[in-house]
Amino acid sequence: GRPPSLGARASKLAGVHRVGIRTSTYQASVCCKNLQIFSKPVSLEEALAFHTVLVLVCSGFHEFKGDLDFKSVNSCIDAACSVTGTVREHLGLTFRPVVSALAEVGKQISGARTTDLQHSLKQRSELLKARSNGWAALREVWIAVLSESRPVEEAEEIVDKTYRNHT
């Protein structure tokens, strides 16, 4: 079948979504300033409450004039939890950088999903910097990101195939 439109794909970056096909667990997520944040899988009621927290986190991001850093992101998370009365540890947060590469490969590039906020922010920064330095730089960083979870040859194949399919 036809792949979903960009709008359909983009809508999956935020909201509350069922985890799997035959399950009654849901997960909240938001994406702002090239950082996607996920809650752990929970009941629908909890996921809706967690999504409220995550939306407040994003609102906090927009208060910062500069780039996101570890301290500012943590501050936003802590403030959102305080406002909603949520225990941060109950959210089970994971993070993933998401960078638009529509001009280069016709899609968004995602980094690794991790509980390590510092690592996710590092990948985000590297991907954004590489994108601004052209395809060769972006290709190198994207391969490095993918190589964290698979052999480098496989990462190169994925990146190069995606590029060829777009051009």
Side-chain angles (χ1 to χ4, degrees):
R2 233 175 61 164
S5 69
L6 177 60
R9 282 184 296 222
S11 69
K12 292 181 181 178
L13 293 177
V16 174
H17 302 280
R18 188 187 329 238
V19 178
I21 296 171
R22 296 186 182 130
T23 178
S24 60
T25 58
Y26 294 81
Q27 188 169 48
S29 65
V30 293
C31 189
C32 47
K33 293 205 173 189
N34 300 101
L35 184 66
Q36 191 170 18
I37 306 172
F38 303 87
S39 73
K40 68 182 178 183
V42 291
S43 70
L44 178 58
E45 184 177 322
E46 287 175 296
L48 292 168
F50 287 176
H51 188 254
T52 299
V53 175
L54 297 181
V55 168
L56 288 172
V57 171
C58 276
S59 296
F61 285 2
H62 297 297
E63 306 278 322
F64 291 102
K65 301 294 181 218
D67 197 18
L68 296 180
D69 60 33
F70 186 75
K71 184 178 177 183
S72 64
V73 173
N74 273 314
S75 174
C76 289
I77 294 169
D78 291 341
C81 286
S82 177
V83 165
T84 60
T86 304
V87 176
R88 179 178 175 154
E89 290 73 26
H90 292 174
L91 294 168
L93 297 179
T94 55
F95 309 91
R96 174 173 66 190
V98 178
V99 175
S100 175
L102 294 174
E104 296 84 356
V105 295
K107 63 182 242 169
Q108 294 185 336
I109 295 173
S110 298
R113 187 166 166 178
T114 178
T115 58
D116 185 346
L117 173 60
Q118 192 76 41
H119 184 69
S120 191
L121 289 171
K122 180 179 178 283
Q123 279 190 348
R124 175 187 171 274
S125 177
E126 290 170 350
L127 286 165
L128 288 170
K129 182 178 178 186
R131 183 185 65 185
S132 69
N133 289 325
W135 170 245
L138 182 57
R139 178 186 181 276
E140 182 179 321
V141 171
W142 190 13
I143 289 169
V145 166
L146 291 175
S147 296
E148 292 180 10
S149 61
R150 58 184 47 103
V152 70
E153 297 80 14
E154 184 181 332
E156 288 172 337
E157 183 179 323
I158 290 168
V159 169
D160 292 339
K161 180 179 179 184
T162 304
Y163 180 77
R164 279 191 312 273
N165 288 342
H166 178 67
T167 55

